Amino acid sequence: MMEYVRKASGAIEASLGVGSSTALVLTFLVILISIYATLHIFQVVSGSGIRPRRSRGNAALLLGPCGSGKTAVFFRLRDGEEVQTVSSLSPARDSFEIKAGEAPLLALARAFLLPVVPGCSSCIMLPQADQKLGPLEVVDFPGHLRMRGKANDMVKEARCIIYLVDAEDKPKLKDVAEHFYELFTHPDVLELHTPIMVACNKSDLTSARTEKFIVRGLDRVEEIEREIEQMRVSRGYLGVDGEKFKLTEHAPCPIQTCRISAKKNQLEPLYNFLLEQFA
Amino acid sequence: MIDAFYIFTKGGLLLWSTQLVKVKGNPLDRLIKEVLLEERVGETFANIDAYNLKWKLLNEMDIFFVVVYQGILQMAYLEGLLAMVAKEFVQHVGNSFGNGLTIKHVDFDQDFLRCRQRADKDLKEARRQGGMRSFADTKKGAEVQKTREEKGLPATSSKKGKSGGADDKDEDDEDDADASKVAEARGKLGAKSKAKKEADPATAEKPKKGKEARHWDGGKVSKSLMQELDFSKNKPDDDADLAAKQAEFLGSGDENFDAEVESLSSGSEDEAKDTGEQEQEQGRVGGLFKSLTRGVKNLTGGAVLGEEDLEPILKKFKTELMTRNVAAEVADKLSDSVRRSLVGKTTGRFTTMASTVKQALKESMETLLTPKKSIDVLRAALAAKNAGRVYTIVFLGVNGVGKSTNLAKVAYYLKHKGGLNVLICACDTFRAGAVEQLKTHSRCLDVPLFERGYGKDPADIAKNAIAHAKSNGHDVVLVDTAGRMQDNEPLMRALAKLVAINTPDLVLFVGEALVGNDAIDQVTKFNRSLVDLSADPRNPRGIDGMLLTKYDTVDDKVGAALSMVYVTGQPVVFVGTGQKYTHLRKMQAKEVVRTLLG
Ligand SMILES: Nc1nc2c(ncn2[C@@H]2O[C@H](COP(=O)(O)OP(=O)(O)OP(=O)(O)O)[C@@H](O)[C@H]2O)c(=O)[nH]1
Ligand SMILES: [Mg+2]
């Protein structure tokens, strides 16, 4: 390599009549520029439809409104630790291994998943304690409405989406429904059928009333569905005419629902979901 | 003294915080959501609830340092403290900080204490050296004093500088240039002219008041004048005329209305164009030899962005934005914000500085144009209907911008898309022919009109219309108001009254997207007047959204949209794109940004 550079610079030196150091620099420049150009061309070529069919990305994308606990879940998944957070201003993304068995056994025993989809495999599957996953890329995307556009752009990079909802924050459900509507009519979701796990977070806050608790989780999903139902009129067609909108049936992509708690580190449904998606 | 201090990452980790005094509410959360996330990073000071917040962003590490305090503190002191803490913090975490995800909490109590003590000492030192300088003695204080006197406000007594009482906040704002910037951005762009007016509203207004104005304020209009105005009486309906009008507004029927209004968020179609796009390096060859490594790095990426690198690039973009009708102040603010968010950053692999800047600018503008709340009027109206409420929209703006025409378009949209039962309410009780214009639309649209002729109090008419709608099963009331100049205080007061009395669901400002148009000034002042003249000052009601008319005539000069969103913080709900009822669209943030950045 150096040999070649020296030879080339010699040639430049001779032909242009410049000093040898300048010539050397020039040669380096030429090389750099050509590398740059090659890469550039490569980028353009690979970006312009030579790829056969678009496929999903490779990241697990955390979405959901402000304060639903995305950042909390992100660090729980990564380090198993609890962190202090403020509202995120930009995405946090990292590749890491997920060890599904880290959660306390007691938590494992409890079945958190709402059996909304009969026969949904992850509902019954309990994670093996030693099962490892990844490393896989997880992205925590800020929930602020102003970032919505960018969040939707991220969909094409996602293998699957974990959509967090604060089970206690009822007023936000309108926003959630609106976001689902955007996602369900988003060209990327329509084309890629990106699977979504709707996870009702902060279930620890209502855990005292165990029986009611499950009903409440369902409540939230139903509430979202009611809101979507309303939007079908204002925004046009989604779902099946004459039928009430059901998330798990009428969405253009596979949807599951579950309850979790980042605070209590009860995230088994998410581990299972990720295992399923990244198997 | 200071109340609290926070250190957090852009990614949402609170690395360290302290509350010296218990902070009420959550001013930090509001700062993040209402200022930092709103592309207003160009600023470094905000006033939230009872607190003042000053912050510093460390771009290299994406960390924010925020100090929260009440009353007055010298900006120099705060800036000193922030700088010291930032420096100390960087030393404390050292190289281990990495991508900002490894360190989740920092034990910083001791370090912070040291910083604070040092800052306090510096402050005392400065005080002693300069003698005991009270606020009015400082240079800035003197300036404030002067402007206050000019404004005819009572001069501040010089002892105020010492105690940080709540009512001193005012001076503090003025003391800080940044503070006024914040205020300016949120609807005080016309602050200068406003200040002038404030000096003596009475004298400022009176001489301008011509004969015309008198019809207005008292609401007393002579009978003869009313007859003159009400020319509908001597103009019998003409069915042929109606048919012609209908054809004019409805078009030949081949227009696909749904396709036009329903330009959903499918902005990603053209995305390929965007992503493949790379900035061409222009005029950089000259600098290549001068600063070889720098140039190469710029070409291959990995260059650290400095103030001096960004300046020329930003300037170029700023000019470009301004040629596309973005207001100069807004272009300035945006580029400030982008500069602040980029200085100290390293360019990505194989990205030039120009493309880095462009990308940042693009994202910044897209964020800005993405509404922070739902602007689905139809959905809101349907929800109101389900809840058994009448949904009310008030249309306001200056004369001749197309208020009535676009009101008719919205009526058409709500009626045909949502199957809603709409009532139009004629509250322009002043301009001759205004009611007739609405009558024509009412007939073409087959939507009833609620009118009380001319000369009555518009606020009352609107109230009656809403009551009428309730008892007659109408779902939506669209209130047309008289066009007025934004500086006309009596008229603005009347408008504020209309809004206060009727508490509409949506206050929609109608403005032109035209070039060289003072739509920014208009919307700023309309908003300000509504807020200032609100019946309930604790809960002021400004503009909720905008409708931009004549959008079809501006080609690539769509800058008005960006400017108006920036100054009001409110979204563009619709754009009008022609004369027909179907010429109403939702604005696409991506489309606007693409047009603006060429
Ligand atoms: N009780 C309870 N609180 C939780 C749980 N998960 C998160 N939180 C709290 O909810 C708040 C918000 O959590 P974040 O992780 O910052 O929320 P986010 O989704 O990242 O929000 P943005 O960044 O604004 O989009 C924090 O105070 C968390 O401590 C949970 O499972 N239970
Ligand atoms: Mg977050």
Side-chain angles (χ1 to χ4, degrees):
Chain A
M1 170 70 186
M2 243 8 238
E3 206 51 65
Y4 167 75
V5 171
R6 251 182 236 122
K7 244 189 261 164
S9 75
I12 290 179
E13 196 180 333
S15 60
L16 293 178
V18 286
S20 66
S21 60
T22 319
L24 197 67
V25 165
L26 266 175
T27 317
F28 266 119
L29 265 180
V30 169
I31 293 169
L32 277 174
I33 289 171
S34 41
I35 292 175
Y36 179 74
T38 317
L39 275 164
H40 201 125
I41 290 167
F42 183 74
Q43 256 178 9
V44 168
V45 167
S46 65
S48 65
I50 289 185
R51 268 180 302 187
R53 208 191 93 92
R54 290 210 301 156
S55 59
R56 264 182 251 149
N58 263 323
L61 179 58
L62 283 165
L63 295 180
C66 275
S68 55
K70 297 176 295 296
T71 309
V73 165
F74 178 89
F75 285 99
R76 274 292 196 202
L77 286 176
R78 198 185 71 158
D79 310 322
E81 282 176 36
E82 186 168 4
V83 289
Q84 282 200 302
T85 64
V86 295
S87 196
S88 309
L89 285 127
S90 60
R93 56 195 307 167
D94 202 8
S95 279
F96 50 85
E97 244 172 40
I98 290 176
K99 292 178 223 76
E102 265 178 6
L105 219 70
L106 188 74
L108 274 181
R110 274 183 232 159
F112 285 99
L113 223 62
L114 297 174
V116 169
V117 204
C120 142
S121 60
S122 73
C123 298
I124 25 172
M125 190 174 81
L126 281 177
Q128 269 86 57
D130 55 347
Q131 208 155 358
K132 267 191 204 161
L133 184 60
L136 53 96
E137 181 162 41
V138 181
V139 183
D140 158 28
F141 206 91
H144 197 266
L145 273 172
R146 293 267 199 211
M147 304 283 275
R148 200 44 93 59
K150 277 181 231 167
N152 296 347
D153 291 347
M154 279 294 301
V155 168
K156 56 177 167 292
E157 291 184 48
R159 171 80 65 89
C160 61
I161 296 171
I162 294 174
Y163 200 102
L164 291 185
V165 178
D166 178 346
E168 291 303 297
D169 191 356
K170 242 178 124 180
K172 282 259 168 63
L173 292 182
K174 253 192 166 45
D175 284 341
V176 171
E178 200 149 293
H179 195 189
F180 277 144
Y181 206 99
E182 281 171 30
L183 288 172
F184 295 162
T185 50
H186 194 285
D188 288 336
V189 176
L190 291 174
E191 187 186 341
L192 304 171
H193 305 285
T194 320
I196 302 179
M197 169 62 96
V198 182
C200 297
N201 190 24
K202 310 199 186 180
S203 58
D204 53 286
L205 294 176
T206 40
S207 55
R209 294 153 283 165
T210 324
E211 202 48 48
K212 255 213 170 132
F213 177 28
I214 290 169
V215 181
R216 287 190 76 142
L218 268 172
D219 253 11
R220 296 302 175 251
V221 174
E222 271 171 15
E223 195 132 348
I224 294 167
E225 286 171 344
R226 265 201 301 279
E227 289 292 338
I228 291 180
E229 188 67 36
Q230 279 201 1
M231 267 185 289
R232 287 170 71 188
V233 187
S234 72
R235 302 224 183 147
Y237 183 71
L238 183 71
V240 179
D241 256 351
E243 276 181 45
K244 272 225 147 42
F245 187 84
K246 278 248 158 279
L247 262 181
T248 44
E249 284 167 33
H250 297 139
C253 54
I255 297 241
Q256 301 175 34
T257 59
C258 68
R259 286 175 305 113
I260 56 164
S261 165
K263 190 175 191 94
K264 291 258 166 86
N265 206 5
Q266 295 168 344
L267 302 175
E268 290 69 29
L270 300 189
Y271 294 131
N272 291 333
F273 178 67
L274 291 173
L275 274 174
E276 191 182 280
Q277 298 304 323
F278 288 87
Chain B
M1 274 301 104
I2 67 175
D3 290 24
F5 201 104
Y6 301 93
I7 304 177
F8 58 90
T9 67
K10 277 193 178 177
L13 278 176
L14 181 61
L15 297 172
W16 178 82
S17 71
T18 184
Q19 290 197 10
L20 305 167
V21 184
K22 174 124 184 59
V23 175
K24 282 194 235 60
N26 199 343
L28 179 69
D29 192 55
R30 288 192 53 197
L31 173 75
I32 296 173
K33 286 176 182 156
E34 291 165 29
V35 181
L36 302 181
L37 267 162
E38 298 262 316
E39 297 305 326
R40 286 164 208 276
V41 207
E43 295 141 14
T44 62
F45 175 90
N47 179 256
I48 293 170
D49 295 335
Y51 294 99
N52 294 318
L53 290 91
K54 178 132 181 90
W55 66 92
K56 178 183 174 65
L57 163 64
L58 209 61
N59 268 320
E60 296 87 325
M61 298 163 104
D62 277 346
I63 308 180
F64 277 96
F65 299 85
V66 178
V67 52
V68 179
Y69 63 100
Q70 282 169 298
I72 335 176
L73 283 176
Q74 274 185 8
M75 279 301 144
Y77 167 74
L78 294 167
E79 271 158 16
L81 179 67
L82 283 167
M84 241 182 268
V85 171
K87 195 164 157 237
E88 196 80 15
F89 189 83
V90 172
Q91 270 170 11
H92 187 115
V93 296
N95 293 332
S96 54
F97 195 72
N99 58 0
L101 294 171
T102 26
I103 293 182
K104 284 159 287 188
H105 184 83
V106 180
D107 189 8
F108 198 64
D109 290 352
Q110 290 309 314
D111 310 66
F112 182 71
L113 196 66
R114 237 180 301 130
C115 289
R116 232 185 77 209
Q117 281 164 351
R118 220 174 331 139
D120 287 352
K121 215 176 94 211
D122 287 357
L123 181 69
K124 274 204 200 98
E125 196 82 358
R127 279 224 179 109
R128 202 153 26 91
Q129 274 173 10
M132 180 53 214
R133 296 189 316 165
S134 72
F135 180 69
D137 296 334
T138 62
K139 201 166 144 238
K140 262 191 182 153
E143 270 167 32
V144 171
Q145 201 86 341
K146 213 170 107 208
T147 41
R148 291 206 143 227
E149 270 150 24
E150 273 167 13
K151 280 198 226 162
L153 293 166
T156 51
S157 70
S158 52
K159 69 168 195 289
K160 277 208 171 174
K162 270 193 286 183
S163 67
D167 54 347
D168 293 346
K169 235 187 308 165
D170 217 337
E171 285 109 343
D172 190 46
D173 281 1
E174 279 168 308
D175 182 29
D176 180 31
D178 287 327
S180 66
K181 259 192 230 157
V182 177
E184 218 174 40
R186 277 286 180 213
K188 267 197 194 162
L189 277 183
K192 269 178 228 140
S193 52
K194 190 185 155 246
K196 249 185 261 151
K197 226 172 70 189
E198 262 179 3
D200 188 352
T203 50
E205 280 304 316
K206 264 176 202 150
K208 265 190 268 162
K209 251 185 238 166
K211 203 172 160 195
E212 263 185 347
R214 213 180 313 130
H215 306 319
W216 271 103
D217 23 5
K220 284 186 213 118
V221 181
S222 70
K223 196 144 199 181
S224 65
L225 184 70
M226 259 169 76
Q227 264 151 13
E228 214 174 281
L229 288 171
D230 197 357
F231 63 77
S232 61
K233 294 230 169 71
N234 30 17
K235 250 198 187 171
D237 291 355
D238 185 345
D239 279 345
D241 187 40
L242 174 63
K245 279 268 188 263
Q246 244 162 4
E248 181 190 333
F249 292 124
L250 287 167
S252 47
D254 55 359
E255 252 128 332
N256 188 347
F257 182 66
D258 280 7
E260 283 203 66
V261 170
E262 222 41 54
S263 51
L264 258 167
S265 54
S266 51
S268 51
E269 300 143 35
D270 300 41
E271 207 58 353
K273 252 193 268 166
D274 258 18
T275 36
E277 180 182 31
Q278 283 277 335
E279 198 55 28
Q280 295 295 311
E281 307 62 63
Q282 299 164 338
R284 206 159 294 116
V285 187
L288 218 54
F289 283 92
K290 275 184 221 140
S291 52
L292 190 67
T293 44
R294 217 183 162 78
V296 171
K297 270 195 174 161
N298 185 19
L299 222 52
T300 57
V304 176
L305 293 163
E307 193 96 33
E308 66 285 3
D309 306 313
L310 292 171
E311 208 44 60
I313 306 174
L314 279 170
K315 202 167 159 200
K316 204 183 105 221
F317 280 120
K318 216 156 67 183
T319 327
E320 208 164 301
L321 288 180
M322 272 148 71
T323 61
R324 299 207 163 98
N325 201 25
V326 175
E329 305 98 295
V330 175
D332 266 346
K333 290 259 161 62
L334 265 176
S335 76
D336 270 0
S337 166
V338 168
R339 183 190 306 110
R340 270 199 205 255
S341 69
L342 284 181
V343 169
K345 282 246 190 271
T346 310
T347 55
R349 230 157 46 86
F350 297 104
T351 39
T352 62
M353 286 180 189
S355 66
T356 308
V357 172
K358 184 171 177 177
Q359 185 59 28
L361 202 57
K362 179 176 158 240
E363 284 180 11
S364 174
M365 295 198 303
E366 257 175 41
T367 309
L368 193 68
L369 288 169
T370 308
K372 61 182 169 196
K373 61 183 180 202
S374 170
I375 52 162
D376 192 337
V377 173
L378 182 50
R379 181 185 172 208
L382 285 167
K385 181 186 175 173
N386 285 349
R389 276 190 324 108
V390 174
Y391 188 82
T392 316
I393 308 179
V394 170
F395 291 71
L396 38 88
V398 305
N399 288 310
V401 289
K403 263 191 312 300
S404 307
T405 316
N406 283 282
L407 177 142
K409 289 184 204 171
V410 173
Y412 182 87
Y413 168 62
L414 294 175
K415 179 181 170 181
H416 289 268
K417 193 81 206 297
L420 290 164
N421 188 343
V422 181
L423 178 70
I424 297 177
C425 171
C427 285
D428 183 350
T429 58
F430 180 68
R431 186 175 59 85
V435 176
E436 288 64 38
Q437 191 190 353
L438 282 182
K439 250 182 209 152
T440 311
H441 284 307
S442 151
R443 263 180 279 131
C444 292
L445 289 163
D446 192 20
V447 163
L449 175 72
F450 187 94
E451 55 109 349
R452 289 289 178 268
Y454 294 90
K456 304 258 172 42
D457 178 9
D460 281 345
I461 300 182
K463 198 172 172 202
N464 290 333
I466 295 169
H468 176 86
K470 263 191 200 119
S471 48
N472 288 277
H474 297 289
D475 308 315
V476 180
V477 178
L478 303 180
V479 181
D480 190 30
T481 64
R484 60 202 74 207
M485 289 314 288
Q486 62 272 26
D487 316 294
N488 190 327
E489 201 188 307
L491 297 190
M492 292 311 297
R493 200 174 281 284
L495 201 56
K497 182 181 162 198
L498 189 148
V499 170
I501 287 186
N502 295 293
T503 55
D505 296 272
L506 185 69
V507 177
L508 199 60
F509 175 85
V510 184
E512 285 176 331
L514 299 186
V515 183
N517 181 275
D518 60 347
I520 312 288
D521 185 48
Q522 289 165 16
V523 76
T524 312
K525 287 186 180 156
F526 263 81
N527 196 31
R528 193 108 290 276
S529 303
L530 284 186
V531 169
D532 287 350
L533 303 172
S534 272
D536 179 4
R538 271 163 313 153
N539 193 14
R541 179 77 191 268
I543 286 163
D544 303 313
M546 292 163 289
L547 192 161
L548 281 187
T549 66
K550 311 187 185 173
Y551 199 70
D552 52 321
T553 64
V554 295
D555 296 325
D556 64 347
K557 303 196 173 37
V558 294
L562 186 77
S563 306
M564 288 166 79
V565 170
Y566 191 93
V567 297
T568 58
Q570 301 296 350
V572 174
V573 180
F574 292 113
V575 290
T577 55
Q579 288 299 315
K580 306 222 167 83
Y581 289 145
T582 51
H583 288 156
L584 190 69
R585 290 202 305 132
K586 289 179 184 161
M587 194 184 72
Q588 296 299 309
K590 287 203 167 133
E591 195 183 294
V592 174
V593 172
R594 198 152 42 225
T595 314
L596 284 176
L597 287 178

